[in-house]
Amino acid sequence: MFISFEGLDFSGKSTQVSLLKNFLEENKKSVYLIREPGGTAISEKIRQLLLDRKNFEMQSETELLLFYSSRAQLIREVIRPKLGEGIFVLSDRFHDSSTAYQGYGRGLDLDFIKSLNKFVLGETVPDITFFIDVSLSEIEKRKKLNSEIELDRIESSNDEFYRRVRNGYLKLSETEKRFKRIDGNRSIDSIFEEILSILKKHPKFRG
Ligand code: T5A
């Protein structure tokens, strides 16, 4: 089964992915955790290019194609083989991040992004996607609490950009059946409880 997590930076995805990994392993499931961009030697090099603050001159089109280059490699080198072995693949971000950040956030053509999804993903689409939806004011608070962390090139974007990205995720929640919006302005435990209860009802999970 293929499960992805989406949300704004600091929305708590990594926290929830790692709780789910522990839960599945305690229940004797084989799990493979990935994050995007990254996850293969080539994809990690592309990640450095994408997030490096020094690359401020990077154009939106370049950014989009680099995310999909990294993803094309990850899907073929890691995701498909792992899914073929019956392993649970948990992904901290996947293609919906490109729709939200590069499509809605940067204003790139959404139909072109859909055609990239067809070309790069093919049938390799998550079975379920948890969108941890956190308000911009809560994100701001968490950024301040983590002020020792140096923000990367994309995290340094302004509030208006993040408003458009969140709006993109909300649109996806309305149009994609696999996309589950979870209220992320709550305790870590109550968010995880809801994720588990939704997952346990999924036919592939009960399988
Ligand atoms: N990107 C990525 C694109 O633009 N297009 C794409 O196609 C893709 C794939 C990746 C960047 O690339 C962009 C999006 C990103 O800007 P990254 O370093 O991988 O960058 O960063 P993120 O994926 O954004 O991950 P973060 O680590 O920044 O945030 P998370 O994983 O959402 O949050 P997490 O779990 O680390 O938590 C953040 C803080 O909040 C606390 C945690 O303890 C932590 O301090 N927290 C909570 N606090 C209160 N209540 C809760 N419920 C909390 N849950 C967590």
Side-chain angles (χ1 to χ4, degrees):
M1 184 171 189
F2 183 17
I3 305 170
S4 64
F5 285 76
E6 292 287 348
L8 299 179
D9 307 73
F10 292 92
S11 58
K13 295 174 284 64
S14 312
T15 305
Q16 295 298 327
V17 175
S18 101
L19 285 173
L20 183 58
K21 180 175 185 281
N22 294 344
F23 171 85
L24 292 170
E25 286 175 345
E26 278 161 17
N27 286 276
K28 311 275 177 266
K29 310 273 191 204
S30 299
V31 183
Y32 196 83
L33 190 62
I34 50 179
R35 67 159 181 196
E36 271 234 82
T40 70
I42 292 172
S43 310
E44 288 294 329
K45 283 186 182 160
I46 299 175
R47 177 183 175 89
Q48 283 170 18
L49 272 176
L50 277 163
L51 301 187
D52 190 341
R53 287 164 65 97
K54 289 201 281 300
N55 291 334
F56 61 87
E57 69 275 68
M58 187 179 291
Q59 301 296 305
S60 302
E61 291 80 0
T62 314
E63 182 180 280
L64 176 73
L65 294 172
L66 282 173
F67 275 118
Y68 275 92
S69 302
S70 163
R71 188 165 297 137
Q73 191 65 31
L74 180 66
I75 288 171
R76 284 153 187 83
E77 199 181 317
V78 175
I79 299 180
R80 285 180 187 161
K82 296 288 178 201
L83 290 174
E85 290 171 45
I87 292 171
F88 275 79
V89 175
L90 309 185
S91 189
D92 190 342
R93 296 194 181 280
F94 199 58
H95 69 307
D96 300 304
S97 285
S98 296
T99 304
Y101 279 73
Q102 282 65 51
Y104 287 89
R106 302 272 192 240
L108 294 179
D109 184 55
L110 291 168
D111 286 333
F112 179 62
I113 294 178
K114 276 189 192 152
S115 59
L116 276 177
N117 286 336
K118 264 197 201 135
F119 178 65
V120 173
L121 275 64
E123 302 291 306
T124 313
V125 175
D127 297 297
I128 189 163
T129 298
F130 293 106
F131 161 42
I132 317 292
D133 186 20
V134 174
S135 67
L136 291 175
S137 55
E138 175 63 21
I139 296 282
E140 218 30 64
K141 268 191 226 155
R142 291 186 197 174
K143 272 189 186 169
K144 282 194 184 126
L145 282 172
N146 290 280
S147 57
E148 76 287 355
I149 301 175
E150 196 191 7
L151 299 181
D152 63 44
R153 191 180 60 82
I154 298 177
E155 283 168 344
S156 312
S157 306
N158 61 29
D159 275 7
E160 196 36 55
F161 174 76
Y162 278 109
R163 219 178 301 284
R164 292 196 298 273
V165 174
R166 177 162 180 262
N167 182 41
Y169 278 130
L170 291 173
K171 287 263 164 56
L172 284 167
S173 317
E174 288 163 14
T175 53
E176 294 287 335
K177 196 164 171 268
R178 68 179 159 80
F179 213 81
K180 309 293 175 195
R181 178 183 168 273
I182 310 285
D183 178 2
N185 302 291
R186 294 181 290 164
S187 73
I188 291 171
D189 288 350
S190 59
I191 295 169
F192 186 58
E193 215 173 284
E194 188 178 352
I195 288 174
L196 265 193
S197 102
I198 294 174
L199 188 60
K200 284 176 179 170
K201 289 183 199 131
H202 195 285
K204 232 176 172 172
F205 185 82
R206 288 160 49 200

